[in-house]
Amino acid sequence: MRPVLADVYAAAQVIAGIADATPLVPSPHMTDVAGQEFLLKLENMQPIGAFKLRGALNAVAGVQEASGVTCCSTGNHGRGVAYAARARGIRAVICMSELVPQAKVDGIRALGAEVRIAGRSQDDAQAEAERLVAEEGLTEISPFDDPRVIAGQGTIGLEIMAARPDTEVLLVPLSGGGLAAGVAMAAKAIKPSVRVVGISMDRGAAMYESIRAGHPVEIEEVPSLADSLGGGIGMQNRLSFPMCRDLLDEVVLVSEEEIYHAMQVLYYEDRIVAEGACVVGLAAVLSGKVKVTGPTATIVTGRNLDMEMFTRIVTGQDVQLGDVTVKGQPYRGRA
């Protein structure tokens, strides 16, 4: 079941002309900060505004006879599944927790999918998806622990390495591990020496804690600027956990304050509107937590964010995340 490079090439054929060939552009500011060429893979330019379309298209294409599809999602995977299901003319029911921003819920409904809000955690949403499979005969498409999803996300690694075979470091946002597993597998199959670093927020980082423990563990899900990286990895995880454990060279955590600053940097220096989850690679370099040694690429994973929250960040205002306040700082460029 574990996907290999041939599966990624097959996925590239499935998504061709729909979800492939996003731009890979240099960031002069981050190049200056890092001391090495720094590239941005703009998955925020996807039709649904997020990389998740790649894996969703590939997975939904593989569904045979079913009354529809379902998934649990923090937003972007659900949007991808909704888009792919609509293209095939089949029913989609997306299960999410109460922590998912309303902007993401509205975006999924706009694509014609049904939305079920279940509890305050991804585990609650997952339980509802499993009920729909058992009682209504829907086919579940995991946001990360599915071989077709992983292969679809791996096409990003193919595209980066094809465009820039001299890439030495890949900085990949890390949540359930579908993206990191696919990108690392594809990139290392092409260039074994490439260093792949998974990066997450420092509160509720399920994959990080699972790798440390040596097995999937449950974590408390809390509000974060990187909300797309929230949620567990599944206690029965079969694919993304062992692949991330085996293929990632390092896992790094960044704080909410570091994410806040990186969102400002990407906006003011590169004129890019992106979710907090997208900027963790920048945050790791800006904070000095990751040192790069050659041409480096990170993935700007999506743009489906709460614009009121984003406006507060880029104008330097405080942001409230549950019982935590991220103190605002106006952006002044490099000191």
Side-chain angles (χ1 to χ4, degrees), residues 80-103:
V81 170
Y83 185 102
R86 185 176 69 174
R88 279 198 60 184
I90 61 176
R91 180 188 180 203
V93 184
I94 312 304
C95 304
M96 297 183 287
S97 81
E98 296 169 4
L99 292 178
V100 175
Q102 189 62 40

Side-chain angles (χ1 to χ4, degrees), residues 67-80:
S67 58
V69 293
T70 187
C71 69
C72 134
S73 173
T74 53
N76 286 330
H77 176 64
R79 194 181 291 232

Side-chain angles (χ1 to χ4, degrees), residues 174-323:
L174 178 62
S175 179
L179 174 64
V183 169
M185 178 263 290
K188 285 179 175 288
I190 294 166
K191 183 178 182 177
S193 65
V194 70
R195 178 179 167 216
V196 184
V197 182
I199 306 168
S200 195
M201 67 287 197
D202 65 3
R203 300 188 308 148
M207 186 61 77
Y208 171 82
E209 295 296 344
S210 297
I211 290 173
R212 282 209 333 168
H215 56 83
V217 298
E218 294 181 348
I219 49 89
E220 180 184 0
E221 192 173 346
V222 296
S224 172
L225 292 177
D227 58 271
S228 293
L229 302 185
I233 69 167
M235 298 304 288
Q236 305 304 316
N237 190 296
R238 301 168 301 126
L239 296 171
S240 65
F241 167 70
M243 291 181 72
C244 286
R245 178 197 62 204
D246 297 345
L247 295 172
L248 294 180
D249 295 284
E250 186 180 5
V251 177
V252 172
L253 303 183
V254 292
S255 70
E256 298 296 330
E257 290 77 14
E258 289 161 350
I259 295 169
Y260 182 110
H261 176 59
M263 290 177 76
Q264 289 185 327
V265 169
L266 191 61
Y267 177 73
Y268 283 105
E269 300 295 345
D270 292 296
R271 311 301 194 265
I272 293 174
V273 174
E275 301 173 38
C278 304
V279 303
V280 292
L282 282 75
V285 172
L286 289 163
S287 64
K289 292 179 176 177
V290 169
K291 304 291 186 183
V292 298
T293 55
T296 298
T298 194
I299 303 163
V300 180
T301 48
R303 65 172 188 265
N304 301 316
L305 73 172
D306 182 329
M307 289 305 294
E308 181 179 348
M309 174 81 78
F310 183 75
T311 299
R312 294 186 66 83
I313 292 168
V314 298
T315 55
Q317 301 178 57
D318 292 354
V319 171
Q320 195 69 32
L321 299 170
D323 58 358

Side-chain angles (χ1 to χ4, degrees), residues 31-113:
T31 294
D32 189 31
V33 171
Q36 301 287 344
E37 187 171 14
F38 198 96
L39 303 163
L40 307 171
K41 181 63 167 167
L42 299 184
E43 289 295 297
N44 59 322
M45 302 304 293
Q46 288 282 4
I48 65 162
F51 79 95
K52 292 280 192 176
L53 184 56
R54 294 174 182 262
L57 280 170
N58 196 44
V60 171
V63 172
Q64 302 301 318
E65 294 184 10
S67 58
V69 293
T70 187
C71 69
C72 134
S73 173
T74 53
N76 286 330
H77 176 64
R79 194 181 291 232
V81 170
Y83 185 102
R86 185 176 69 174
R88 279 198 60 184
I90 61 176
R91 180 188 180 203
V93 184
I94 312 304
C95 304
M96 297 183 287
S97 81
E98 296 169 4
L99 292 178
V100 175
Q102 189 62 40
K104 293 188 176 181
V105 176
D106 294 341
I108 289 169
R109 287 192 172 125
L111 289 168

